[in-house]
Amino acid sequence: MKASEMSRRHGELCPLDTTLKILDGKWKSIILCRLMKHEFRYTELLRTLPGCTRRMLSLQLLQLENDRIIVKQTDTSYVPVKTSYRLTPAGKSLVPIVLAMNKWGTTYLERLIPVREP
């Protein structure tokens, strides 16, 4: 189900739920962080995600593509076919949100985990 279809989960239009649904997924946040810097070929992206299977990466990329956060480019002039991914304008507009969430998480963890003195 696309994130846009989930925006009425509580019986009303909820933009926050839509945003959370788009970001929901074990690998989506790290995929977005990787694509913030530049586009990646599928195999390059997979190499940067230790523990992520090909199937899981394909599923997460498809969901992000369906939500129009990333775009898949296929170049058939290469053998094997060159497939790469980059952020769409909507995906680029998520960058400050993801960075703010990362900053909030860092602060939260620092408060949650007491500093251990030597």
Side-chain angles (χ1 to χ4, degrees), residues 10-61:
H10 302 294
E12 62 185 60
L13 185 62
C14 186
L16 178 58
D17 277 352
T18 301
T19 306
L20 293 173
K21 182 62 180 167
I22 287 169
L23 295 174
D24 184 39
K26 183 174 181 177
W27 298 97
K28 286 182 184 178
S29 60
I30 193 73
I31 291 168
L32 291 174
C33 286
R34 297 290 192 264
L35 294 176
M36 281 181 200
K37 297 176 180 115
H38 57 83
E39 77 176 42
F40 272 90
R41 290 183 65 175
Y42 179 87
T43 53
E44 294 171 331
L45 189 55
L46 184 63
R47 268 188 249 125
T48 71
L49 304 170
C52 184
T53 64
R54 287 183 163 277
R55 183 178 185 284
M56 180 55 71
L57 178 58
S58 295
L59 177 65
Q60 300 280 274
L61 289 171

Side-chain angles (χ1 to χ4, degrees), residues 2-116:
K2 291 181 183 178
S4 58
E5 296 166 356
M6 288 294 295
S7 61
R8 291 193 175 273
R9 184 169 58 169
H10 302 294
E12 62 185 60
L13 185 62
C14 186
L16 178 58
D17 277 352
T18 301
T19 306
L20 293 173
K21 182 62 180 167
I22 287 169
L23 295 174
D24 184 39
K26 183 174 181 177
W27 298 97
K28 286 182 184 178
S29 60
I30 193 73
I31 291 168
L32 291 174
C33 286
R34 297 290 192 264
L35 294 176
M36 281 181 200
K37 297 176 180 115
H38 57 83
E39 77 176 42
F40 272 90
R41 290 183 65 175
Y42 179 87
T43 53
E44 294 171 331
L45 189 55
L46 184 63
R47 268 188 249 125
T48 71
L49 304 170
C52 184
T53 64
R54 287 183 163 277
R55 183 178 185 284
M56 180 55 71
L57 178 58
S58 295
L59 177 65
Q60 300 280 274
L61 289 171
L62 181 60
Q63 289 171 357
L64 289 167
E65 191 177 3
N66 286 340
D67 288 329
R68 300 184 197 147
I69 303 303
I70 64 169
V71 64
K72 175 182 177 178
Q73 293 179 306
T74 306
D75 186 345
T76 57
S77 66
Y78 287 86
V79 176
V81 174
K82 178 184 174 184
T83 304
S84 59
Y85 297 87
R86 64 177 169 76
L87 294 177
T88 63
K92 290 176 183 176
S93 72
L94 263 176
V95 170
I97 296 165
V98 171
L99 293 175
M101 290 173 70
N102 185 66
K103 184 176 179 180
W104 183 90
T106 299
T107 302
Y108 176 78
L109 289 173
E110 287 171 351
R111 290 182 187 152
L112 188 67
I113 302 169
V115 178
R116 296 181 185 176

